[in-house]
DNA sequence: CCGTTAACTTACCGCCGATAACTTAGCTCG
DNA sequence: CGAGCTAAGTTATCGGCGGTAAGTTAACGG
């Protein structure tokens, strides 16, 4: 509700000669804030962002080629935040616990900042050049590290961690994005649902590895001769 | 490329007195086609749809309250199509096979009609009144039926099939939407990836049920004393 | 102190969703 | 048949959008 200190009579102080970069940062945070406050991606118009910063809309184009470039920057910022949150407080945990923590941190961020999350995961990078925008993020790298450690601990078959990372990511993304998009479904406690889904993805992958990628019948036969532990 | 037969000199023949409903259908299919052909949701403007049908843009509002209502109708259509595809060719299959088939049909549709799928799963119904728009769909009902049969076959713990349906749906949605949104990732064969993820979700749920919702350590301990079958 | 130029602004374009007011074609009924 | 009602459209217009061209001004180097 607080207005930017931009009284009509006192227009924005023009930046110093080399200080155009500073405005770029202000535009970026304004876009993020606007997204968070309105909770709607199309409320983030070039004009609305400019108003909030206290400049006119064409000034945005001095720092971002177009709206897509601005949103790309927001997306990069989201992935950076995601990495921070996913890697906080992991000290002293064993690999499997770390995996769970990282997954839950991912879902928590998604549910806490649904519109940022939706933007980051919905936006398709059109340019074919950057083959692995997401995979180059620190978040993805740290996640695959944890998976490699889980392999060493015997939870998964050893090998390339990337496919497992993608599978678990799909599970986390699936539940997070569904809760966001369909909030009226009878979810119950989102944390519990997310935990259930993540556990199922991890357990399922672990058992599939153990059984050597079984087909449905093979799994059914194996499971029918199992007994629950005491 | 073929033009609608609407030469400037011969304007659209006005519909019969009660035949306004027919135009509604034409508008709907035009919107769907436009979405499929352009592959872009914001290319579906009221004006573009009207042009394709051969009417002027305000005429759309005689049949749909606003753009959101038109897109809602498209979404309903998508879910109906999804139900058809998910329930084709299931005769003679056992419950577990049916579950796999339905999941794969879901993913196949998503990948074949990515923009329709994205619209249907991204769009949040604002009105709080309709508590379960998705859950009332035939697709969801048929899916829970299959899960109930899997329970009877001993694959899952017996009980309410809804949470399991949601979990498996999350897995299918997660992998489908990720492949759509991030096509440049090294997916390999999408069918294989989807199968892997769906199997993991089902297997994981089955084993979690067997072990009574184990925590990570409990599962790790259980798994470490398992042996692969011959 | 003067010229250069980075950092903006003003004015505008075409497209968007949406509404109000107008026109016209199809039908009913005397 | 033909007068009149009204469903089924149209034309005209609004404010807001992304984006661009051209003008203005303030900070700095010489």
């Amino acid at each position: 509700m607080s207005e930017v200190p931009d009284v009509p009579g006192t227009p924005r102080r023009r930046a110093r000669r080399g200080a155009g970069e500073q405005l770029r940062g202000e535009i970026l945070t304004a876009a993020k804030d606007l997204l968070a406050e309105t909770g709607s991606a199309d409320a983030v118009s070039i004009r609305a962002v400019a108003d909030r910063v206290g400049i006119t809309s064409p000034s945005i184009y001095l720092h971002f080629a177009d709206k897509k470039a601005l949103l790309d920057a927001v997306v990069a910022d989201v992935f950076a935040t995601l990495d921070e949150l996913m890697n906080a407080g992991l000290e002293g945990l064993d690999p499997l616990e770390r995996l769970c923590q990282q997954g839950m941190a991912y879902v928590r961020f998604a549910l806490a900042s649904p519109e940022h999350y939706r933007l980051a995961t919905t936006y398709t990078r059109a340019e074919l050049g950057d083959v692995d925008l997401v995979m180059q993020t620190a978040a993805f790298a740290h996640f695959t590290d944890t998976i490699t450690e889980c392999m060493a601990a015997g939870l998964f078959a050893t090998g390339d961690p990337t496919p497992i990372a993608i599978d678990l990511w799909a599970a986390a993304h699936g539940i997070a994005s569904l809760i966001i998009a369909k909030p009226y479904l009878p979810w119950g406690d989102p944390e519990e649902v997310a935990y259930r889904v993540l556990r199922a993805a991890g357990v399922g992958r672990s058992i599939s590895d153990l059984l050597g990628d079984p087909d449905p019948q093979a799994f059914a036969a194996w499971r029918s001769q199992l007994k629950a532990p005491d």
Side-chain angles (χ1 to χ4, degrees), chain A:
Chain A
M1 301 305 165
S2 69
E3 287 294 323
V4 174
D6 181 29
V7 186
T10 57
R12 178 189 178 80
R13 169 143 188 89
R14 186 173 298 217
R16 296 258 176 96
R17 211 52 184 281
E21 284 298 310
Q22 177 202 333
L23 181 53
R24 190 193 140 96
E26 287 184 47
I27 293 170
L28 198 53
T29 57
K32 287 193 296 178
D33 292 352
L34 214 48
L35 193 59
E37 290 171 23
T38 65
S40 155
D42 47 26
V44 182
S45 68
I46 292 283
R47 283 168 161 86
V49 172
D51 277 359
R52 166 165 289 237
V53 176
I55 56 178
T56 57
S57 60
S59 298
I60 306 253
Y61 295 96
L62 296 174
H63 304 283
F64 296 94
D66 52 16
K67 187 178 186 180
K68 194 176 171 310
L70 171 56
L71 293 182
D72 277 349
V74 172
V75 169
D77 194 279
V78 166
F79 277 111
T81 304
L82 207 41
D83 181 51
E84 279 179 35
L85 294 175
M86 287 176 71
N87 289 287
L90 296 181
E91 306 82 17
L93 297 180
D94 67 53
L96 181 54
E97 286 172 326
R98 275 222 293 281
L99 196 64
C100 290
Q101 283 301 314
Q102 287 183 311
M104 290 304 293
Y106 179 93
V107 174
R108 269 184 217 114
F109 170 78
L111 299 184
S113 305
E115 216 55 38
H116 292 87
Y117 180 77
R118 168 140 57 180
L119 178 70
T121 52
T122 294
Y123 225 59
T124 301
R125 188 83 160 203
E127 299 89 49
L128 296 175
D130 38 15
V131 177
D132 41 5
L133 193 142
V134 173
M135 291 183 66
Q136 280 179 351
T137 62
F140 197 87
H142 287 134
F143 191 54
T144 56
D145 286 350
T146 304
I147 289 169
T148 303
E149 292 167 29
C150 286
M151 287 176 172
L155 188 69
F156 300 126
T158 54
D160 180 10
T162 306
I164 301 184
I166 286 181
D167 289 5
L168 296 183
W169 182 27
H173 169 63
I175 192 61
S177 62
L178 275 190
I179 293 177
I180 291 171
K182 314 289 176 189
Y184 46 77
L185 291 187
W187 295 110
D189 179 13
E191 291 254 344
E192 275 178 38
V193 183
Y195 183 74
R196 234 171 55 205
V197 169
L198 292 181
R199 178 180 58 204
V203 166
R205 178 70 198 212
S206 181
I207 298 298
S208 292
D209 279 4
L210 183 74
L211 299 183
D213 289 334
D215 56 42
Q217 286 81 358
F219 171 73
W222 179 79
R223 152 144 190 168
S224 68
Q225 68 187 20
L226 275 182
K227 287 173 207 146
D230 330 299

